[in-house]
Amino acid sequence: ALPIYNDISIVDADRMQLEAVQSFFADKPEGFKGLKLSHRSFISPYPIYEALAHLSDRSVLMVRENFLKCAISRERARIRVEQALAKGEKASWAVQAGQSKLAATVMDIDQILRLTAQFEKYHSECLAYADHFLVQGRLTVRYEDLMERPNQKMSEIFSHLGLDDTPVILHSKATADDLRTDVLNYDELE
């Protein structure tokens, strides 16, 4: 028996995901500027990357090389959303400019280590697919560079995509450079 995904077989969910990406490019909503996709959300990445290579002549590949920081950032975002929802507030994964970030907290170290390994795996898979399918017209941007020089990197991305708009940074960095600042039990990771 095939696994079930929200009352749909994994095969049907996979097909529906590919059709949604193809449909998005075919219908191009008014004001269409692009599509942000997360490699880890693809059920079967191969057909998605293959479709993207045929549907768009320009792409931006965002890579994040500090997998531990990626895992901690993801967990902090999850905790932030859970706290907002518990208070009946609107929840957002991103910290808007001017908003306060999550206070330092104790993290589930086993979960952080699992996520770190997952992100490293996703990174390797994503690069392999991108190197195979998204060779032409690809701009690769390191997340770390985007955080260090947001306006410069966003200008490069806009230029690469042929956009005239001046980028406006509406989000702020939610995880400190020194992870000890955000993770109260950071020493357990060493």
Side-chain angles (χ1 to χ4, degrees):
L2 293 170
I4 300 298
Y5 178 77
N6 290 344
D7 299 327
I8 315 172
S9 77
I10 196 75
V11 172
D12 289 337
D14 191 35
R15 178 186 46 76
M16 290 167 61
Q17 190 177 54
L18 178 59
E19 288 172 358
V21 169
Q22 292 169 327
S23 170
F24 185 87
F25 276 91
D27 297 338
K28 288 192 181 173
E30 187 175 330
F32 172 78
K33 299 291 184 191
L35 180 64
K36 179 184 176 188
L37 300 171
S38 173
H39 173 82
R40 65 190 171 105
S41 66
F42 301 151
I43 297 168
S44 295
Y46 187 94
I48 300 287
Y49 281 94
E50 185 175 39
L52 290 173
H54 294 7
L55 295 170
S56 178
D57 60 348
R58 293 182 233 178
S59 61
V60 177
L61 178 65
M62 182 74 64
V63 295
R64 192 167 184 176
E65 296 172 353
N66 185 332
F67 307 117
L68 175 61
K69 193 171 201 172
C70 191
I72 289 172
S73 180
R74 189 229 175 246
E75 273 303 281
R76 288 175 52 77
R78 184 191 59 74
I79 292 167
R80 188 172 174 279
V81 166
E82 284 180 1
Q83 287 177 352
L85 291 174
K87 295 177 193 173
E89 298 172 353
K90 183 178 176 187
S92 172
W93 282 82
V95 175
Q96 304 294 321
Q99 258 184 340
S100 59
K101 65 179 194 166
L102 181 69
T105 187
V106 173
M107 299 290 235
D108 178 341
I109 298 302
D110 290 336
Q111 174 67 358
I112 294 298
L113 294 175
R114 275 191 300 278
L115 284 172
T116 300
Q118 279 182 343
F119 282 120
E120 187 169 8
K121 176 182 176 254
Y122 294 147
H123 178 79
S124 297
E125 288 174 359
C126 179
L127 288 180
Y129 284 114
D131 287 346
H132 184 75
F133 289 111
L134 305 176
V135 179
Q136 299 292 338
R138 179 179 89 200
L139 172 66
T140 300
V141 177
R142 290 178 61 245
Y143 176 84
E144 292 81 1
D145 294 339
L146 178 65
M147 292 298 97
E148 286 177 21
R149 299 179 309 281
N151 291 323
Q152 176 190 346
K153 286 298 168 185
M154 288 304 294
S155 290
E156 287 175 25
I157 292 168
F158 272 57
S159 176
H160 174 74
L161 296 174
L163 302 174
D164 295 329
D165 300 328
T166 302
V168 177
I169 307 301
L170 300 174
H171 299 91
S172 63
K173 195 172 174 181
T175 304
D177 289 328
D178 182 357
L179 296 175
R180 287 173 183 80
T181 305
D182 291 332
V183 182
L184 295 174
N185 57 333
Y186 181 83
D187 292 339
E188 293 176 36
L189 285 166
E190 297 177 334

